[in-house]
């Protein structure tokens, strides 16, 4: 079952546009197919790409003034190259800290997208095929194919390609590897996951249930808690409204926690570590509570707790297991088709709304994966 949170859109509005031919030309970023009108241009076709530029590194929470929409003309693809048109773009928490260390001011904002091949001089990527690419916030991209991952050839027709940016993509892989490679979660154990209604956390909890574990989830609204209950979480609570986080964690699992999938950091982490069982394991995936700080948070520090409880804490990124991606994506797709994984997406329509979607995701507007549909 796929529960897609798209209140203002119907399913047909999210289907990819018709594939432009080589006799297509763009005006204001819209590709028009002149072949239908019997007109064949006698000059090289130029495509206009819209891009969102990071004008200034973030200082605290992102603002509209950190972004600028620009238009650039792209040349025809050379031998071995393809022209891509974005269909769905991803907005993710990692973009906030990664932009500081991996970007310069004036560059196109980083990010992944599902794109359609609309021109191709590369036989590995035929016209009409779809790929996942780290193209950034762009409507059109020229690529030599080295950074592209083809959508699996047997992708079901009734499953939106947007899930290749979510449950059947980087967030799903992050959840799977955190559970299996880092935590080594075993049947019968108790798992705590925070930011549990997000793109990663919601998959973490469901995979843990597939493996026969007790799952406790924390989220930031009553609607998100209700969503976690729908997914089969054993316990879920709104951390913003509980009187005491410590008491909420104790009530949800009086015997403590074998494993903790950490997405938040900050004070939550300090309290959660106190509730770990001896020899507990912590997978550190994210720390969204500190991403927008202008002054770094300090203490209390966890060292004595980790020593006394003999805890194991490990940070990770899903790219470490890139060699397993094809097999892992098929496992995730298998669970989805077997109705063992349920998905919800928070979809924003329109490339012009990329910054708003990004900032909304950072402040927790989304339930499930945040996506922008072009």
């Amino acid at each position: 079952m796929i529960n897609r949170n798209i209140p203002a859109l119907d399913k047909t509005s999210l289907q990819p546009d018709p594939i432009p031919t080589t006799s297509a030309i763009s005006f204001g970023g819209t590709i028009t197919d002149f072949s239908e009108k019997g007109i064949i241009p006698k000059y090289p076709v130029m495509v206009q790409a819209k891009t969102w530029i990071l004008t200034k590194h973030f200082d605290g929470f992102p603002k509209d003034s950190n972004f600028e929409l620009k238009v650039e003309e792209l040349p025809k693809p050379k031998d071995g190259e393809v022209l891509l048109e974005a269909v769905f773009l991803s907005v993710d928490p990692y973009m906030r800290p990664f932009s500081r260390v991996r970007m310069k001011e004036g560059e196109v904002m980083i990010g992944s997208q599902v794109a359609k091949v609309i021109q191709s001089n590369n036989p590995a990527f035929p016209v009409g095929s779809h790929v996942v690419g780290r193209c950034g916030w762009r409507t059109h991209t020229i690529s030599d194919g080295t950074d592209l991952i083809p959508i699996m050839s047997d992708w079901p027709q009734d499953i939106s390609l947007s899930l290749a940016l979510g449950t059947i993509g980087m967030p799903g892989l992050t959840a799977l590897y955190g559970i299996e490679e880092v935590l080594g979660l075993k049947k019968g154990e108790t798992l705590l996951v925070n930011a549990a209604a997000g793109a990663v956390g919601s998959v973490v909890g469901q995979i843990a249930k597939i493996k026969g574990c007790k799952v406790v989830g924390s989220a930031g609204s009553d609607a998100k808690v209700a969503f976690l209950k729908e997914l089969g979480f054993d316990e879920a609570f709104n951390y913003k409204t509980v009187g005491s986080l410590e008491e909420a964690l104790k009530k949800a699992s009086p015997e403590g926690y074998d494993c903790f999938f950490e997405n938040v950091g900050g004070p939550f982490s300090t309290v959660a570590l106190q509730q770990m069982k001896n020899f507990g394991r912590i997978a550190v995936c994210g720390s969204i509570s500190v991403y927008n700080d202008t002054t770094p948070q300090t203490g209390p520090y966890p060292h004595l707790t980790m020593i006394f409880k003999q805890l194991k804490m490990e940070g990770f990124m899903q790219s470490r297991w890139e060699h397993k991606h094809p097999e892992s994506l098929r496992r995730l797709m298998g669970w989805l088709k077997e109705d063992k994984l349920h998905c919800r997406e928070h979809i924003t329509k329109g490339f012009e709304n990329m910054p708003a979607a990004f900032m909304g995701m950072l402040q927790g507007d989304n339930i499930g994966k945040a996506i922008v549909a072009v």
Side-chain angles (χ1 to χ4, degrees):
M1 179 183 74
I2 302 175
N3 186 357
R4 307 187 66 208
N5 183 23
I6 318 172
L9 303 174
D10 61 34
K11 189 171 182 181
T12 58
S13 69
L14 295 178
Q15 298 306 307
D17 295 329
I19 300 167
T21 68
T22 54
S23 58
I25 191 168
S26 71
F27 294 97
T30 301
I31 294 181
T32 302
D33 189 349
F34 283 91
S35 64
E36 296 178 356
K37 302 175 175 61
I39 302 172
I40 305 298
K42 296 181 180 180
Y43 47 84
V45 174
M46 302 294 287
V47 171
Q48 287 186 332
K50 295 179 181 178
T51 65
W52 278 105
I53 303 298
L54 180 68
T55 58
K56 187 175 179 58
H57 280 298
F58 306 119
D59 181 20
F61 195 85
K63 303 179 288 291
D64 287 334
S65 58
N66 291 121
F67 307 97
E68 181 182 357
L69 183 61
K70 290 189 175 183
V71 177
E72 64 181 53
E73 286 195 342
L74 300 180
K76 289 184 65 176
K78 300 176 183 176
D79 287 344
E81 293 183 336
V82 296
L83 173 61
L84 305 173
E85 183 175 62
V87 181
F88 298 104
L89 295 100
S90 182
V91 286
D92 300 282
Y94 80 83
M95 295 173 178
R96 174 60 179 84
F98 273 48
S99 67
R100 172 66 68 172
V101 297
R102 298 199 177 178
M103 288 187 63
K104 297 178 181 178
E105 293 177 350
E107 293 182 342
V108 176
M109 188 66 186
I110 56 176
S112 296
Q113 60 178 248
V114 170
K116 178 172 57 181
V117 179
I118 61 173
Q119 293 182 29
S120 178
N121 291 320
N122 187 328
F125 303 98
V127 170
S129 62
H130 289 83
V131 298
V132 175
R134 293 190 291 268
C135 304
W137 293 11
R138 310 174 55 90
T139 58
H140 298 83
T141 306
I142 297 288
S143 171
D144 64 4
T146 57
D147 59 343
L148 304 180
I149 302 173
I151 298 290
M152 60 180 69
S153 58
D154 56 349
W155 188 281
Q157 290 288 323
D158 61 342
I159 295 179
S160 173
L161 293 177
S162 58
L163 292 192
L165 300 173
T167 301
I168 317 298
M170 181 273 289
L173 293 170
T174 300
L176 181 63
Y177 297 144
I179 285 176
E180 294 188 346
E181 304 292 341
V182 180
L183 294 175
L185 188 65
K186 302 179 181 66
K187 182 178 180 180
E189 292 189 315
T190 300
L191 171 77
L192 170 65
V193 55
N194 50 17
V200 174
S202 59
V203 181
V204 167
Q206 293 180 85
I207 293 177
K209 290 305 300 179
I210 290 171
K211 292 182 174 293
C213 297
K214 176 180 177 180
V215 180
V216 176
S218 167
S221 74
D222 292 343
K224 292 179 179 180
V225 169
F227 172 57
L228 299 182
K229 289 292 190 178
E230 291 176 16
L231 295 181
F233 281 54
D234 298 281
E235 301 287 342
F237 62 88
N238 182 347
Y239 74 90
K240 293 181 179 179
T241 59
V242 294
S244 163
L245 178 58
E246 179 181 0
E247 291 304 315
L249 291 172
K250 287 181 177 179
K251 180 180 178 181
S253 183
E255 69 280 6
Y257 300 88
D258 300 284
C259 293
F260 174 27
F261 198 107
E262 167 71 292
N263 291 310
V264 174
F268 190 107
S269 181
T270 300
V271 176
L273 291 187
Q274 301 287 341
Q275 307 306 316
M276 298 297 294
K277 296 180 182 180
N278 289 340
F279 305 104
R281 294 99 69 197
I282 303 103
V284 182
C285 172
S287 187
I288 196 169
S289 70
V290 305
Y291 289 168
N292 296 302
D293 289 348
T294 53
T295 302
Q297 297 182 27
T298 59
Y301 301 103
H303 302 82
L304 283 179
T305 299
M306 294 187 69
I307 293 169
F308 293 153
K309 291 179 175 286
Q310 301 185 72
L311 304 178
K312 178 181 179 182
M313 179 184 287
E314 181 178 348
F316 75 101
M317 293 187 289
Q318 49 82 30
S319 55
R320 192 195 310 180
W321 298 279
E322 189 171 2
H323 61 286
K324 290 189 173 186
H325 282 6
E327 173 195 354
S328 298
L329 290 171
R330 292 197 174 278
R331 291 177 63 198
L332 291 166
M333 179 63 82
W335 286 329
L336 184 70
K337 292 194 290 188
E338 293 168 6
D339 207 31
K340 294 179 179 179
L341 278 183
H342 297 182
C343 310
R344 186 178 293 188
E345 296 178 301
H346 182 99
I347 294 186
T348 301
K349 180 68 174 177
F351 182 76
E352 67 277 8
N353 294 316
M354 287 292 300
F358 175 60
M359 291 184 281
M361 175 273 304
L362 287 178
Q363 62 189 14
D365 290 352
N366 58 299
I367 297 180
K369 181 71 185 80
I371 294 288
V372 173
V374 179

